[in-house]
């Protein structure tokens, strides 16, 4: 598109009322679901450490505490909420550390915001509901079980697990 025509299109767009502009953008722009993920380590464990993983139905692999954010919910609040709902582990949102990179854009249309946390496994009770989560277990980092593909991808971005050596170009900070 020639420069002048593109400039005129932008000027016309910005003259439209804000609600109309927002509707146009929502029709044209890609849509993403936004989730929050917690990578929780055992603060008592010796190196290489232990990681909290969950087995969810259908139970073919182990995953991280995670879920979709509620509308208007801050990512760290959603991460803390999902962690507690799925495992019984409580970490205050301000005690979670944003991972670097903090967001992972998945090719299938969702974005995960990722947070790190630690708790002492020896004094932290794991509680699961048996419906959404079948099991919660601490695993040694050097002996992880079979992971779900998305969990392997997320952990790999942070140098953990079977995909640790891979570079994920879709990760962004």
């Amino acid at each position: 598109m020639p420069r002048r025509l593109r400039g005129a299109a932008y000027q016309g767009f910005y003259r439209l009322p804000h609600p109309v502009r927002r509707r146009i953008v929502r029709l044209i722009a890609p849509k993403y679901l936004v989730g929050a993920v917690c990578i929780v380590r055992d603060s008592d464990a010796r190196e290489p450490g232990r990681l909290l993983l969950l087995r969810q139905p259908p139970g073919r692999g182990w995953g991280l505490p995670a879920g979709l954010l509620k509308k208007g919910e801050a990512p760290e609040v959603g991460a803390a909420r999902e962690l507690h709902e799925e495992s019984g582990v409580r970490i205050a949102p301000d005690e979670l550390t944003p991972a670097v990179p903090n967001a992972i854009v998945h090719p299938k249309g969702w974005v995960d915001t990722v947070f790190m946390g630690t708790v002492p496994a020896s004094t932290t009770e794991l509680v699961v509901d048996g419906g959404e989560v079948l099991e919660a277990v601490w695993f040694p980092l050097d002996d992880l079980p079979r992971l779900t593909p998305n969990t392997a991808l997320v952990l790999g971005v942070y140098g953990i697990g079977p995909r640790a050596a891979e570079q994920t170009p879709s990760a962004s900070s």
Side-chain angles (χ1 to χ4, degrees):
M1 175 182 288
R3 183 182 244 170
R4 257 189 226 157
L5 183 57
R6 188 175 64 194
Y10 272 113
Q11 287 176 13
F13 175 77
Y14 284 111
R15 286 187 184 125
L16 295 171
H18 186 353
V20 173
R21 290 194 320 252
R22 186 173 52 234
R23 280 189 181 210
I24 291 170
V25 169
R26 285 187 177 167
L27 287 172
I28 298 171
K31 294 168 181 64
Y32 290 95
L33 295 173
V34 180
V37 179
C38 277
I39 298 175
V40 181
R41 294 182 188 230
D42 175 4
S43 61
D44 290 339
R46 295 182 206 202
E47 288 301 320
R50 295 192 314 163
L51 185 66
L52 176 63
L53 293 173
L54 310 175
R55 190 169 63 85
Q56 297 176 295
R60 294 190 185 109
W62 290 80
L64 296 163
L68 295 176
L69 294 177
K70 294 178 180 178
K71 186 173 183 171
E73 184 176 44
E76 63 277 10
V77 171
R81 176 183 51 77
E82 287 291 341
L83 174 64
H84 182 256
E85 287 176 3
E86 295 183 348
S87 69
V89 174
R90 280 197 191 273
I91 300 178
D94 62 345
E95 292 177 5
L96 290 171
T97 304
V100 179
N102 184 235
I104 299 173
V105 179
H106 295 272
K108 292 188 178 180
W110 76 91
V111 177
D112 279 329
T113 56
V114 184
F115 295 86
M116 305 283 193
T118 60
V119 295
S122 61
T123 59
T124 302
E125 181 181 10
L126 299 177
V127 179
V128 298
D129 64 13
E132 183 181 359
V133 177
L134 304 173
E135 244 180 311
V137 177
W138 294 99
F139 286 98
L141 284 168
D142 59 355
D143 190 24
L144 295 176
R146 180 176 173 211
L147 302 172
T148 65
N150 288 329
T151 297
L153 183 145
V154 169
L155 289 175
V157 169
Y158 305 103
I160 302 169
R163 295 185 69 179
E166 296 178 25
Q167 292 294 327
T168 307
S170 61
S172 61
S173 51

